Amino acid sequence: MSHPIDDAVFDLINTNDPEAGAILAAEQARQAHTIELIASENHASPAVMHAAGTCFTNKYAEGYPGRRYYGGCAHMDEIETLARERAKKLFNCEYANVQPHSGAQANMGVFMGLLEPGDTFASLVLKDGGHLSHGMHLNFSGKYFNPVHYPLHYNPDHPRHEQIDYEAVRAVCLEHRPKLLLCGYSAYSRTIDFAKFREIADEAGCLLMADIAHIAGLVAAGEHPSPFPHCDVVTSTTHKSLRGPRGGLILTNDEDIFKKTNRALFPGVQGGPLMHIIFAKAVAFGEALRPEFKDYQKRVKANAATLAGALTDLGYRICSGGTDNHLMLVDLTARNPELTGRDAETWLENAGIICNKNGIPDDQRKPMITSGVRLGSPATTTRGFGEAEMKRVASFIDRVLSAGLKGEDALAAETEAVRAEVRALCEQFPMPGAG
Ligand SMILES: *Cc1c(COP(=O)(O)O)cnc(C)c1O
């Protein structure tokens, strides 16, 4: 049923600790038997997962290659250098810091390295696709810095409705004169025009930062335009479309920015780097440098477009009119004004389809209810889903939501029917390591 190493790892853990082993078995079964549509998730390869479970976890390596605070770091230097070199090649830039524990930590490293407390930066209106580390009031970025926000176009008659309003970006920057302009989002389905952002940053005299956490895999494969050479600094996660271990990344072509953000990250923000994760990042970057990865990212985009098209045919509205990347925001109220993101998330999960409720641009409902769901194709594409399977996924979604509108009995019956079909489909397309 699963990869031989997974079996050996499971037996080892289960023999020592049946309580933890039972939870591992349950999660493995959940992932194997459900369709993962969360746009920020993926199925890492067995090589990447097991790389994260090696003896590199035992080692302290505070500092950077060649300048460590501990002995015994020869192989730490080798693996961190390998990860850096591969990251630079993948993203076509001069400098890479592979130590951020996560995407938010990477952003913190940049903010602490390039801004002073109280400095102004500009980012997208958070509820319309930004990330909490782009200025949310409870986050370090909103508490210790001064965010100002630029909007999307909010006019159904506008040809670029729900897409970035570059004129408004320019106006916000000229009015507030931020020290840094931030682009890159968590729920934006359109291509980002980095060259246009560069023009605005030059006009306003500010630094330009791209957070490519979501689209990193597409960028690495040349399936989304690169933020280089336009951006001064680029941050990312490694676990979303890039399909590596859970972690972060800071990239730049500027030696001064590299030095400042390095110092801000360590000793400024983090202590010892997660060397087992850096080892797994190197393995994942190696996978992403292979030709198959480009083919994978092409299929990710094709699958997202197929799902968006099929949902549109069923009466749903894809925000901004479609997708250029791996994700989409679905306006459920176009199908039926009674539908909410909260209900959809719950009903679909019960049927074995995992996604998250998400506000749509200018959503009138509260964040815990919402009018939409965010769907992405990276994980299903990793399993091998193609056009036919994505069309079936759209039909599963509509069957469950339509039944939910009819009432509890209809929903219970359809949930059971769809769950069985989902499970059969998942068995036909096993997740990596479970084949
Ligand atoms: C996911 C995401 C992050 C944060 O990543 P974590 O690893 O969860 O900290 C940062 N920025 C954007 C745009 C994201 O989508």
Side-chain angles (χ1 to χ4, degrees):
M1 180 61 218
S2 66
H3 194 276
I5 300 178
D6 280 338
D7 285 344
V9 169
F10 175 73
D11 287 345
L12 181 70
I13 292 170
N14 201 40
T15 306
N16 281 294
D17 185 345
E19 200 178 357
I23 297 172
L24 172 61
E27 176 58 12
Q28 164 92 9
R30 186 193 71 81
Q31 291 187 19
H33 297 146
T34 55
I35 293 174
E36 185 56 73
L37 295 178
I38 294 178
S40 50
E41 295 188 11
N42 211 327
H43 299 290
S45 72
V48 167
M49 283 199 291
H50 291 298
T54 55
C55 64
F56 279 90
T57 197
N58 295 335
K59 190 73 197 96
Y60 251 113
E62 282 179 352
Y64 289 102
R67 300 181 58 190
R68 304 285 189 185
Y69 290 76
Y70 288 83
C73 281
H75 307 304
M76 302 302 124
D77 285 5
E78 283 171 9
I79 197 61
E80 187 167 346
T81 302
L82 182 65
R84 281 177 165 188
E85 291 306 315
R86 288 180 174 176
K88 284 154 56 176
K89 201 163 169 195
L90 209 45
F91 293 99
N92 197 16
C93 64
E94 299 278 328
Y95 304 97
N97 185 330
V98 296
Q99 291 196 4
H101 300 338
S102 73
Q105 297 284 88
N107 289 347
M108 197 166 182
V110 170
F111 279 51
M112 305 286 268
L114 304 183
L115 305 179
E116 296 299 323
D119 274 353
T120 299
F121 69 97
S123 64
L124 177 66
V125 172
L126 295 186
K127 66 177 186 53
D128 291 343
H131 186 260
L132 59 93
S133 62
H134 297 180
M136 189 225 188
H137 68 289
L138 295 173
N139 186 264
F140 77 90
S141 56
K143 257 181 133 150
Y144 302 110
F145 301 95
N146 176 40
V148 293
H149 298 297
Y150 55 83
L152 303 174
H153 286 288
Y154 308 109
N155 174 3
D157 298 328
H158 195 284
R160 293 175 41 82
H161 178 46
E162 296 171 328
Q163 301 189 37
I164 293 163
D165 182 346
Y166 290 96
E167 264 316 298
V169 177
R170 183 171 171 272
V172 165
C173 288
L174 293 181
E175 183 186 347
H176 296 280
R177 296 282 169 183
K179 201 169 189 183
L180 181 145
L181 169 58
L182 172 50
C183 59
Y185 317 101
S186 299
Y188 188 69
S189 65
R190 294 307 191 157
T191 301
I192 300 166
D193 189 341
F194 295 117
K196 202 163 228 161
F197 271 107
R198 178 77 260 169
E199 275 172 31
I200 298 168
D202 283 344
E203 193 180 347
C206 60
L207 291 168
L208 180 60
M209 166 180 175
D211 176 349
I212 60 166
H214 258 265
I215 55 173
L218 297 172
V219 170
E223 292 297 313
H224 184 290
S226 173
F228 292 114
H230 309 293
C231 298
D232 298 297
V233 63
V234 173
T235 57
S236 185
T237 62
T238 48
H239 49 275
K240 298 181 183 176
S241 60
L242 194 51
R243 210 165 68 184
R246 193 157 285 282
L249 199 56
I250 303 174
L251 307 165
T252 183
N253 281 329
D254 183 310
E255 190 181 1
D256 185 51
I257 288 178
F258 182 59
K259 285 183 178 160
K260 282 179 173 159
T261 52
N262 281 354
R263 263 198 307 273
L265 194 73
F266 175 83
V269 171
Q270 294 185 172
L274 308 176
M275 294 312 300
H276 56 310
I277 298 298
I278 290 174
F279 182 66
K281 283 174 182 171
V283 172
F285 298 160
E287 289 181 359
L289 283 165
R290 293 192 201 127
E292 303 90 278
F293 193 73
K294 183 166 177 69
D295 174 59
Y296 162 66
Q297 297 294 346
K298 276 185 193 294
R299 286 185 288 117
V300 164
K301 272 168 59 173
N303 280 342
T306 299
L307 181 59
L311 288 168
T312 304
D313 291 344
L314 290 164
Y316 297 85
R317 189 180 75 86
I318 306 301
C319 294
S320 84
T323 175
D324 301 328
N325 58 25
H326 64 298
L327 68 76
M328 69 209 71
L329 271 179
V330 184
D331 177 0
L332 303 166
T333 63
R335 176 75 174 78
N336 189 307
E338 302 294 311
L339 284 172
T340 68
R342 183 181 59 183
D343 286 343
E345 181 188 302
T346 309
W347 297 347
L348 290 170
E349 175 164 0
N350 290 335
I353 296 168
I354 313 299
C355 69
N356 61 282
K357 63 177 168 294
N358 210 105
I360 61 173
D362 211 18
D363 204 322
Q364 299 304 307
R365 288 186 173 135
K366 294 199 179 83
M368 289 310 288
I369 300 177
T370 79
S371 302
V373 287
R374 186 185 66 163
L375 306 179
S377 58
T380 49
T381 307
T382 295
R383 287 187 99 116
F385 280 23
E387 191 177 341
E389 291 74 33
M390 296 316 277
K391 285 183 175 162
R392 274 193 80 189
V393 170
S395 133
F396 291 154
I397 290 171
D398 188 53
R399 280 166 57 191
V400 172
L401 301 191
S402 301
L405 287 167
K406 285 186 195 141
E408 270 177 34
D409 290 347
L411 180 60
E414 201 60 37
T415 299
E416 199 177 327
V418 170
R419 195 171 49 213
E421 290 182 51
V422 164
R423 190 176 169 124
L425 187 59
C426 288
E427 279 168 3
Q428 208 186 325
F429 292 88
M431 77 172 191

